[in-house]
Amino acid sequence: MHPTFLNNKTLFSQKKTLKSQVTVFTLHRRKFSSSKRAKSPNGSSLSLSGEKDICMEDPTVQRFPAQSALGTPISSSLFSGLNLTPTMSDEDSVRSRYIERLINANYHPSPSRTIYSDRFIPTRTGSNFGLFHLPAPRQPSSSEGRKDSSTSVYSTLLRTVLFGPESGVVSPVTPEKRSDWTNSPSRNIFRYKTDTSQPLQSLFPFGSDDAMPGVNHSPVKTPRKIPQSPYKVLDAPALQDDFYLNLVDWSAHNVLAVGLGNCVYLWNACSSKVTKLCDLGIDESVCSVGWAQSGTHLAVGTRHGKVQIWDASRLKRVRAMGGHRLRVGALAWSSSFLSSGGRDKTIFQRDIRTQEDFVSKLSGHKSEVCGLKWSYDDRELASGGNDNGLFVWNQNSTQPILKYREHTAAVKAIAWSPHVHGLLASGGGTADRCIRFWNTTTNSHLSCLDTGSQVCNLVWSKNVNELVSTHGYSQNQIIVWRYPAMSKLATLTGHTYRVLYLAISPDGQTVVTGAGDETLRFWNVFPSAKSQNTDSEIGASFLGRTTIR
């Protein structure tokens, strides 16, 4: 057992035993001192050879320093506890060293025994604290005295342990400690990096400007890839090239309605089946189509100012309503009303649950109404006209509550944001070419962007804060924008005429565009609600070019 762990009772017992042994030994010395003493040629006293071998030559004996001039050993604390009075003779010196050997024989620590402590101090020898660029310790001057010298030694040892031998400081370790423990990774209890030789910049979460060897930067998220070609093209004979008409709409049941001449056709996106819904006759033509929110009924606006309601599942007309004196080019459904806008500058609010053809008439535009859209909460109706005006109505008003006249051409493109309440986007015709954003809650104009060509349609993504615009003169392109920065994500081309018609699929991933080139093109432009890289079911299932009738 190590001496530091001896209790007081054991130490007192050992002191008492040693005191009795020293007393007997002193009496024995006085009795036989005359017969044991011998003189050297120069008159000095010689110790017994046996004692010299034991006390002076034994390498295992842990010796105290030599006696002082007063004859008091350095280990006076131990002898004072034994109440001994040492002598000044040579024999006394020999006996004192022998006594020291007896006292310290049981307390010499074995070099093969590991001494344990009651504290856990982990080693971090494998860690390279040089990553943190700690300053080197200050070297003390000789005038600072012994205390500063001790501090310098401690700082030198600490720096060697923390920064390793490569720091240029040699650690004054003892021979038994000159093992390879400084290079053993297993000794580093809190090791968390396999390579600590990387510079501090490698710890930055966003990397650094300069490329550094051995540093693995986090991969930068690549922007979403939007296909530049349509995944499906439908021939649409007799699709009119008229800016003021709205002849394409996509239902909640994934059925596309298209007005071609005097007929309306339904294309099922799940089965790719084409069905003829109605034929209005030779003297009539389709000017607008619009699905109810339920996806079961379709409203059809005609050239002669009629609005017809058709049951798509039964292919049967359920109602016909009048009111307009000229063609009906715009239709919009809310949960309660069907709104229709005509060339006669008026908007009619219709409740199909009542017997009347309309419940209110909205007047304000000075030219043909070519754009109508209800907000997602069904509280506000936005209307655009050929008089360059953009008006906002509520459910009960007969006069617009907001009027915006910043556009300099006809306003057909209108879209409410599904993400921000009161955010309205509008686009102007050939003389305007701008997309403008409005906050109808605060009645403020937010921003304006010149697109460089006629804006025909706008639609917001349901899944991300992006929107699509279709254009006419002079580029006939389709642009995907990221709002609010209004940065271009993609520019899609393919139509040879103005892209006058636009609708979005119920899953919010696909848009269909129609043009005077008598084609309908399907584009995968938006991500799904769950993944931004998953193609829509429609786009993955149907490829090629077919005819809608």
Side-chain angles (χ1 to χ4, degrees), residues 372-391:
L372 280 177
K373 282 292 187 303
W374 278 97
S375 62
Y376 280 87
D377 58 6
D378 293 337
R379 292 184 179 181
E380 295 177 317
L381 173 69
S383 64
N386 197 31
D387 57 357
N388 309 341
L390 173 66
F391 298 163

Side-chain angles (χ1 to χ4, degrees), residues 210-225:
D210 299 328
M212 295 173 289
V215 178
N216 295 325
H217 297 286
S218 300
V220 179
K221 185 178 180 181
T222 58
R224 186 178 78 256
K225 184 178 179 180

Side-chain angles (χ1 to χ4, degrees), residues 324-455:
H324 292 285
R325 295 178 286 106
L326 299 173
R327 68 180 182 185
V328 181
L331 295 169
W333 288 84
S334 72
S335 58
S336 303
F337 296 102
L338 168 62
S339 303
S340 61
R343 199 169 188 176
D344 58 1
K345 312 172 190 178
T346 59
I347 300 172
F348 286 100
Q349 301 280 49
R350 309 174 188 271
D351 189 345
I352 62 174
R353 298 169 296 183
T354 64
Q355 296 296 326
E356 293 80 8
D357 286 350
F358 57 89
V359 295
S360 63
K361 179 181 178 180
L362 311 182
S363 301
H365 285 284
K366 298 179 180 180
S367 186
E368 180 176 6
V369 178
C370 51
L372 280 177
K373 282 292 187 303
W374 278 97
S375 62
Y376 280 87
D377 58 6
D378 293 337
R379 292 184 179 181
E380 295 177 317
L381 173 69
S383 64
N386 197 31
D387 57 357
N388 309 341
L390 173 66
F391 298 163
V392 178
W393 320 70
N394 61 28
Q395 292 178 335
N396 302 318
S397 66
T398 57
Q399 294 295 321
I401 59 175
L402 297 175
K403 292 183 179 181
Y404 303 117
R405 298 188 181 276
E406 280 75 4
H407 286 289
T408 57
V411 181
K412 176 190 177 184
I414 300 173
W416 292 91
S417 170
H419 310 291
V420 180
H421 176 72
L423 178 58
L424 176 64
S426 61
T430 306
D432 184 77
R433 306 175 303 179
C434 292
I435 299 176
R436 297 178 182 270
F437 295 92
W438 318 84
N439 188 334
T440 61
T441 303
T442 60
N443 189 20
S444 58
H445 181 207
L446 300 178
S447 61
C448 175
L449 175 69
D450 190 344
T451 64
S453 59
Q454 179 187 41
V455 183

Side-chain angles (χ1 to χ4, degrees), residues 55-323:
C55 299
M56 305 299 292
E57 302 296 337
D58 191 349
T60 63
V61 177
Q62 183 175 349
R63 299 180 180 84
F64 288 89
Q67 294 176 342
S68 64
L70 296 178
T72 304
I74 298 303
S75 57
S76 59
S77 60
L78 184 59
F79 278 92
S80 61
L82 300 176
N83 296 323
L84 298 179
T85 303
T87 61
M88 295 296 296
S89 63
D90 294 336
E91 290 82 359
D92 292 341
S93 176
V94 173
R95 302 305 182 274
S96 298
R97 287 193 293 271
Y98 178 69
I99 292 172
E100 292 173 4
R101 177 181 180 276
L102 293 177
I103 294 174
N104 295 283
N106 294 330
Y107 305 108
H108 181 71
S110 174
S112 62
R113 185 194 308 172
T114 301
I115 298 176
Y116 299 95
S117 176
D118 59 345
R119 295 181 62 195
F120 171 72
I121 303 176
T123 175
R124 298 191 178 122
T125 57
S127 299
N128 189 354
F129 287 85
L131 293 174
F132 303 99
H133 302 299
L134 296 178
R138 181 176 59 87
Q139 297 296 333
S141 61
S142 57
S143 61
E144 290 179 341
R146 192 170 185 178
K147 183 176 180 180
D148 292 341
S149 178
S150 302
T151 304
S152 176
V153 173
Y154 173 78
S155 300
T156 302
L157 291 174
L158 181 61
R159 181 175 177 82
T160 303
V161 172
L162 294 181
F163 300 107
E166 68 274 8
S167 62
V169 180
V170 180
S171 175
V173 295
T174 56
E176 59 268 21
K177 294 183 180 179
R178 292 192 185 116
S179 60
D180 199 27
W181 64 275
T182 57
N183 298 324
S184 176
S186 62
R187 298 297 299 271
N188 190 2
I189 299 176
F190 299 106
R191 189 178 184 88
Y192 64 96
K193 290 175 70 65
T194 58
D195 182 11
T196 58
S197 62
Q198 297 178 359
L200 182 61
Q201 286 80 0
S202 64
L203 301 177
F204 295 162
F206 303 107
S208 60
D209 295 335
D210 299 328
M212 295 173 289
V215 178
N216 295 325
H217 297 286
S218 300
V220 179
K221 185 178 180 181
T222 58
R224 186 178 78 256
K225 184 178 179 180
I226 299 176
Q228 295 295 307
S229 301
Y231 69 83
K232 188 175 183 62
V233 178
L234 292 178
D235 287 328
L239 185 62
Q240 298 186 55
D241 183 24
D242 193 329
F243 177 80
Y244 300 98
L245 305 185
N246 293 273
L247 298 176
V248 177
D249 198 18
W250 209 327
S251 78
H253 289 173
N254 213 9
V255 177
L256 186 70
V258 184
L260 299 178
N262 55 1
C263 298
V264 176
Y265 292 87
L266 305 180
W267 179 75
N268 191 308
C270 297
S271 62
S272 197
K273 180 182 178 181
V274 177
T275 304
K276 185 178 180 179
L277 177 65
C278 64
D279 187 341
L280 302 181
I282 300 176
D283 60 344
E284 189 65 284
S285 63
V286 179
C287 296
S288 58
V289 294
W291 285 102
Q293 294 181 354
S294 61
T296 58
H297 290 78
L298 179 70
V300 179
T302 69
R303 184 179 63 179
H304 292 145
K306 301 294 182 179
V307 176
Q308 300 180 5
I309 308 297
W310 289 77
D311 187 340
S313 60
R314 296 186 296 165
L315 303 180
K316 182 180 179 180
R317 189 180 74 178
V318 296
R319 191 167 181 179
M321 296 172 287

